[in-house]
Amino acid sequence: MRPPETIELALEGEVVRVAVRRHPSARRLTLRVRAATRDVALTAPPQVSLATADAFVQRHRGWVQARLVRLPENVPFADGSVVPLRGEPHRIVHQPGARGTCWVERDADGVGLICVAGDQPHLARRVRDFLKRQARADLLEAVRRHAAALKVEVGPVTLRDTSSRWGSCAADGALSFSWRLIFAPPSVLDYLAAHEVAHRLEMNHGPRYWRNVERIFPARRTAEAWLRANGAGLHRFGAE
């Protein structure tokens, strides 16, 4: 197996490692700045030399720099940070003397708060665990409802932190989702649940499949449009 190839690109104040991915069907060199993973990748035909690929990347230094600068800043799970919960902004508030672990409140102005008890070193983990529990509860409810509507059986539901897909359905009915869907409006999470459950009838994206999706989630194009416009940005919350 060919070892991973990388190209170093010197930008203003930092050196970016560009991952080179060889693809047998590629006909030209293609650069991508991926918002979800905040990295740079070059797709190259197998026969193109690394020196040629390097020269291509260096010529496009300005293009890469401009797109990296435009990426929104990561938002850590820290006291004072604002993150969306079911599409609504919530401010993280550290309450070290309180009992419990993590819960939701509203302040006097009605602003949502994610309150976190315990010591500072555990704050980020507690917020992440809380959000994953919320995502699991919402997804299990949505999966159950859509499976009943389509009269299908589903397997276990697992949560992952994938950057390339929001959900998947295995041939045995096991479903997998990104826990980051808890940041999106509830309708978007509901759509992804419908999308994957519908694969229990059709393991493809043909016309019959989409008819089944729209039967249980008629507003699927609205949810898809939201994901196209905002999905990549969900990866910046709590990024490590």
Side-chain angles (χ1 to χ4, degrees):
M1 180 180 294
R2 185 199 297 255
E5 295 176 301
T6 60
I7 294 170
E8 290 192 351
L9 182 63
L11 301 178
E12 296 178 8
E14 65 174 332
V15 175
V16 173
R17 293 186 179 275
V18 180
V20 179
R21 293 178 169 81
R22 305 283 182 172
H23 199 286
S25 63
R27 295 292 178 264
R28 58 190 177 90
L29 296 166
T30 307
L31 262 175
R32 290 180 60 204
V33 175
R34 301 183 297 181
T37 49
R38 303 181 72 85
D39 61 6
V40 186
L42 175 73
T43 301
Q47 71 276 10
V48 170
S49 70
L50 188 60
T52 299
D54 185 290
F56 178 86
V57 170
Q58 304 305 328
R59 287 198 304 273
H60 291 82
R61 179 185 290 106
W63 183 89
V64 172
Q65 175 78 42
R67 276 148 185 80
L68 287 174
V69 167
R70 288 208 302 263
L71 292 180
E73 292 294 322
N74 286 338
V75 179
F77 292 149
D79 186 38
S81 293
V82 177
V83 302
L85 174 60
R86 300 182 178 93
E88 180 185 353
H90 282 64
R91 187 172 77 253
I92 297 174
V93 179
H94 188 205
Q95 298 186 5
R99 291 185 177 182
T101 55
C102 200
W103 65 95
V104 171
E105 292 182 0
R106 292 192 179 274
D107 65 14
D109 297 321
V111 176
L113 306 175
I114 298 176
C115 302
V116 194
D119 297 333
Q120 177 67 34
H122 305 302
L123 186 149
R125 176 183 56 80
R126 287 189 167 187
V127 171
R128 186 178 296 268
D129 289 347
F130 169 77
L131 293 171
K132 287 182 177 179
R133 288 194 299 271
Q134 299 298 304
R136 173 173 289 280
D138 288 6
L139 284 163
L140 287 175
E141 188 281 327
V143 164
R144 179 202 58 76
R145 177 164 35 82
H146 292 310
L150 290 180
K151 296 181 173 57
V152 296
E153 298 289 333
V154 298
V157 175
T158 59
L159 299 185
R160 304 185 187 278
D161 193 5
T162 54
S163 61
S164 60
R165 59 197 310 181
W166 295 108
S168 63
C169 175
D172 63 359
L175 304 181
S176 178
F177 297 94
S178 168
W179 66 267
R180 293 179 178 277
L181 289 171
I182 196 61
F183 296 132
S187 61
V188 175
L189 179 147
D190 197 37
Y191 162 64
L192 264 298
H195 183 111
E196 301 307 334
V197 169
H199 279 307
R200 294 298 291 139
L201 292 175
E202 301 283 340
M203 288 295 286
N204 56 61
H205 289 100
R208 285 192 304 181
Y209 166 79
W210 288 117
R211 284 197 294 271
N212 288 326
V213 172
E214 292 175 349
R215 179 153 59 93
I216 57 175
F217 195 90
R220 66 108 170 170
R221 294 189 184 278
T222 301
E224 289 173 342
W226 191 96
L227 278 171
R228 283 194 300 271
N230 305 283
L234 303 185
H235 293 276
R236 68 191 182 103
F237 299 107
E240 299 175 349

